[in-house]
Amino acid sequence: MENKVVCDYCGTIYDGSREKCPLCGSTTRAEAAPAAPRRRLTEEERKARRRTQQEEQRAQQDAQRARREEDRQARLEERRRVPQKQRSSKAPETQGGIPRGYLRAAVVFLTMAVLVVLFFIGDMIGWWPGLEDVLRATTPSETAAAQDDSSCTFLNLTPDHLRFSAADETLQLQVAINASCEQPVSFKSSDESIVRISGDPVVSAPDYDQTEVLAQIVAVGEGQATITVTCGERKMTCAVTCDFSGSPTDASTEPATDATEPSEPTTAASFKPELNYSDVTMSLHNETLRVKVTNLPAGKTVKWSSEDEKVAIVDEDGLVTAKGPGVTTITADVGGKTAELIVRCSFEDTAEGGYHLSLTDVTLSVGESFNLRLLDENDERVEGASYSVKDTTVCTADGSKITGKASGVTRVTVTYYGESFECIIRVK
């Protein structure tokens, strides 16, 4: 009959020839009592049994660690007993007392040194292109960039509409391009029987990031035409209107006839004078501009006046003459009813000097930008000026950079120590 025992901890029945329980490893055992019924363990007994098992497992793990430590100490002791000669046989291979790794590094270094010397000797003799030739061959992109810098990247036209009131009247058309542009600026009239370009354009010295080109436009005959300005791939047009009728010098000074007298009270009540210009910029000292009332009734005369004659004056025939930098208002008075023209003189007054803007009237396209500079009497840029835009939906100011946003007309005000300067911005 086989000898069976029961483990007191886990209840496993195993062969009595075993010293330990094959399940939990416990050495405590009791003789099997086949006839005794097995009792179901309570929860507390299970917890106690698990705690006991865990403690036994930790004890076994500690014993295993102790055995491993003893084995390690034994190996160390064994290594101490190995003779010194046997350990030196395991050292890295050497040649003549020098490790082979050092020898390989020395060979690589010498090989590179020889190649460098051969390269410079061949360069001196002319066997292959030198470093300078290689660099020269890799700079086409820089050359292309330089060529791009010399092209036209900015083109502005002032004003964008010219109106002539008499034949042979001359007005000035001002074009601004980027200072680095080396491409020519050309002017072309769509109908030379109406308007023509007089002489060659005058190019001024570059002013910071802009160069001005001035052209004289002469009225020939009545009608409408356009002046096309081209620089490289950029192009802009200026509308021209030549209307020689209805000027004050041509108006009749005779008393009105009986046929016109009955309608005169009605005409006088609804009459409002209109000028052929509303806002102009003059860029030269003593530059002239003919202004007239386009809807002047027969028999009426115009009384002209200038708000600031240091900036511009006007004679009895409406001829405006630029005198000094600044802004003034020319007023036309027709029987107590008035119309006004803003005149901006942007040139430098060499006698008085003073601060002024690089541009006072600019036409932009949506998305186009330019730099508006405040300059001193020596045309040097003034730092520290503040910029504000009257209508930010038309354009925005990021410092001196003005960018067109939407079609319209607004003003940019530049303020410096309490003194303000204005520039008209027209966005197409």
Side-chain angles (χ1 to χ4, degrees):
M1 182 176 184
E2 295 182 358
N3 183 20
K4 299 290 184 179
V5 295
V6 179
C7 179
D8 287 345
Y9 287 98
C10 65
T12 303
I13 300 175
Y14 59 96
D15 189 2
S17 61
R18 293 176 176 268
E19 294 181 358
K20 297 180 180 180
C21 177
L23 180 62
C24 65
S26 174
T27 58
T28 303
R29 60 186 182 177
E31 292 297 332
R38 297 186 63 181
R39 181 176 60 86
R40 194 175 190 85
L41 296 177
T42 64
E43 185 65 27
E44 293 297 329
E45 291 174 338
R46 291 194 184 92
K47 291 182 179 179
R49 180 172 293 181
R50 282 196 294 269
R51 284 194 296 269
T52 303
Q53 291 174 354
Q54 292 174 356
E55 291 175 358
E56 291 180 353
Q57 290 175 358
R58 281 195 292 270
Q60 291 176 2
Q61 292 173 357
D62 293 341
Q64 291 175 358
R65 281 195 292 270
R67 286 195 297 272
R68 285 196 295 269
E69 180 64 21
E70 291 176 358
D71 293 341
R72 188 178 69 84
Q73 293 295 337
R75 287 195 297 271
L76 290 175
E77 185 65 24
E78 184 68 23
R79 291 183 62 183
R80 293 192 189 99
R81 296 176 185 152
V82 176
Q84 181 68 24
K85 292 183 179 180
Q86 294 182 5
R87 290 203 301 270
S88 62
S89 63
K90 298 181 181 179
E93 297 181 356
T94 60
Q95 184 172 350
I98 302 176
R100 291 187 178 181
Y102 292 161
L103 292 175
R104 295 191 187 97
V107 171
V108 172
F109 176 78
L110 291 175
T111 302
M112 294 179 62
V114 171
L115 291 176
V116 171
V117 172
L118 288 176
F119 174 80
F120 283 103
I121 293 176
D123 180 45
M124 295 174 61
I125 299 176
W127 288 350
W128 44 69
L131 182 60
E132 183 179 354
D133 296 332
V134 173
L135 292 177
R136 188 181 297 113
T138 58
T139 55
S141 57
E142 298 178 0
T143 305
Q147 293 175 353
D148 293 339
D149 291 342
S150 65
S151 61
C152 183
T153 59
F154 170 76
L155 177 64
N156 184 60
L157 191 62
T158 307
D160 58 357
H161 184 266
L162 294 175
R163 185 180 293 273
F164 294 89
S165 57
D168 295 329
E169 182 180 356
T170 301
L171 296 178
Q172 183 174 266
L173 190 59
Q174 178 180 335
V175 177
I177 58 176
N178 52 299
S180 60
C181 177
E182 298 179 0
Q183 296 177 308
V185 180
S186 62
F187 297 80
K188 184 178 180 181
S189 171
S190 62
D191 190 345
E192 293 192 349
S193 63
I194 297 176
V195 66
R196 63 181 177 86
I197 292 86
S198 176
D200 296 328
V202 178
V203 181
S204 64
D207 181 12
Y208 293 100
D209 55 354
Q210 293 184 356
T211 300
E212 289 187 356
V213 182
L214 305 177
Q216 302 297 325
I217 312 301
V218 181
V220 178
E222 290 189 312
Q224 294 183 343
T226 57
I227 301 295
T228 302
V229 181
T230 305
C231 183
E233 297 181 355
R234 294 185 175 268
K235 182 183 297 184
M236 292 190 72
T237 59
C238 173
V240 178
T241 302
C242 295
D243 183 6
F244 304 157
S245 60
S247 63
T249 55
D250 296 334
S252 173
T253 57
E254 297 296 329
T257 62
D258 294 340
T260 59
E261 287 178 359
S263 61
E264 190 171 308
T266 303
T267 304
S270 60
F271 171 71
K272 182 180 180 180
E274 297 179 358
L275 302 180
N276 55 339
Y277 295 100
S278 61
D279 194 318
V280 297
T281 299
M282 308 180 79
S283 304
L284 296 174
H285 184 70
N286 287 332
E287 181 182 350
T288 59
L289 176 70
R290 177 74 64 180
V291 185
K292 69 174 185 175
V293 179
T294 58
N295 60 341
L296 185 68
K300 297 293 183 178
T301 58
V302 183
K303 182 179 179 181
W304 298 92
S305 62
S306 173
E307 183 181 27
D308 188 353
E309 293 191 346
K310 292 182 180 179
V311 177
I313 60 174
V314 59
D315 64 12
E316 59 183 7
D317 294 327
L319 183 65
V320 180
T321 304
K323 289 299 181 182
V327 181
T328 187
T329 301
I330 302 297
T331 303
D333 188 328
V334 182
K337 297 186 176 183
T338 61
E340 294 183 345
L341 162 67
I342 298 176
V343 176
R344 307 173 188 276
C345 297
S346 62
F347 56 88
E348 179 184 0
D349 189 340
T350 55
E352 298 182 3
Y355 299 115
H356 58 284
L357 295 178
S358 57
L359 295 169
T360 57
D361 195 321
V362 178
T363 301
L364 298 174
S365 300
V366 175
E368 188 175 3
S369 301
F370 78 101
N371 288 317
L372 180 62
R373 310 291 191 187
L374 179 63
L375 310 177
D376 60 15
E377 61 273 9
N378 298 319
D379 281 343
E380 297 291 337
R381 181 181 178 184
V382 178
E383 302 288 349
S386 61
Y387 294 74
S388 62
V389 182
K390 184 177 181 181
D391 187 354
T392 55
T393 62
V394 177
C395 72
T396 58
D398 182 8
S400 62
K401 183 179 180 181
I402 311 300
T403 304
K405 293 297 182 182
S407 298
V409 180
T410 187
R411 299 172 188 270
V412 174
T413 302
V414 182
T415 305
Y416 186 71
Y417 285 99
E419 191 173 0
S420 298
F421 309 86
E422 289 189 345
C423 175
I424 297 178
I425 305 296
R426 310 173 194 271
V427 180
K428 294 184 176 180

